């Protein structure tokens, strides 16, 4: 990610730990939003390209957008029940703004 100079666009970047802890997507999302819990949950959205992203968001009770320009297929994304589906970055931008 350093190669793409995108760090300036994020307040925080989190993921699972190399020791295998915080490996469940729900745990990762909870950790990522813990500093933002003073915000209304409706102002937080998970953008993901796999069912695990959407399922994790659903477990926490935040909105989700399944994107089709990543690794997940349409059926996988739709079956996980996202709030929205974006076929492209342009569509994602329209949903977010």
């Amino acid at each position: 990610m350093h190669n793409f100079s995108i760090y300036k666009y994020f307040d925080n970047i989190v993921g699972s730990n190399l020791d295998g802890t915080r490996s469940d997507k729900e745990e990762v999302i909870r950790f990522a939003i813990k500093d933002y819990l003073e915000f209304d949950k409706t102002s937080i959205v998970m953008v993901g390209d796999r069912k695990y992203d959407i399922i994790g968001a659903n477990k926490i009770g935040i909105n989700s957008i399944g994107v089709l320009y990543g690794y997940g297929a349409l059926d996988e994304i739709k079956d996980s029940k996202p709030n929205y589906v974006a076929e492209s970055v342009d569509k994602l931008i329209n949903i977010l703004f």
Side-chain angles (χ1 to χ4, degrees):
M1 297 219 315
H2 288 289
N3 295 342
F4 299 111
S5 300
I6 63 172
Y7 276 106
K8 63 185 174 190
Y9 299 108
F10 297 92
D11 292 332
N12 197 7
I13 298 174
V14 301
S16 55
N17 294 316
L18 294 176
D19 66 3
T21 59
R22 199 169 63 224
S23 60
D24 182 77
K25 187 60 75 164
E26 179 184 357
E27 292 175 293
V28 174
I29 298 168
R30 281 191 192 282
F31 186 83
I33 68 171
K34 70 178 173 43
D35 294 331
Y36 304 97
L37 293 179
E38 72 273 8
F39 295 104
D40 180 0
K41 278 190 175 181
T42 61
S43 68
I44 300 172
V45 63
M46 172 67 180
V47 178
D49 66 345
R50 295 297 312 270
K51 67 181 179 182
Y52 311 105
D53 304 319
I54 308 308
I55 292 168
N58 290 342
K59 286 181 178 179
I60 294 171
I62 61 173
N63 288 318
S64 61
I65 304 171
V67 296
L68 301 181
Y69 51 85
Y71 291 103
L74 176 61
D75 288 342
E76 175 185 336
I77 295 295
K78 284 194 171 186
D79 289 347
S80 61
K81 301 188 180 0
N83 298 95
Y84 304 94
V85 175
E87 299 84 9
S88 65
V89 174
D90 289 336
K91 178 70 173 178
L92 175 62
I93 290 169
N94 288 335
I95 293 168
L96 290 172
F97 300 102

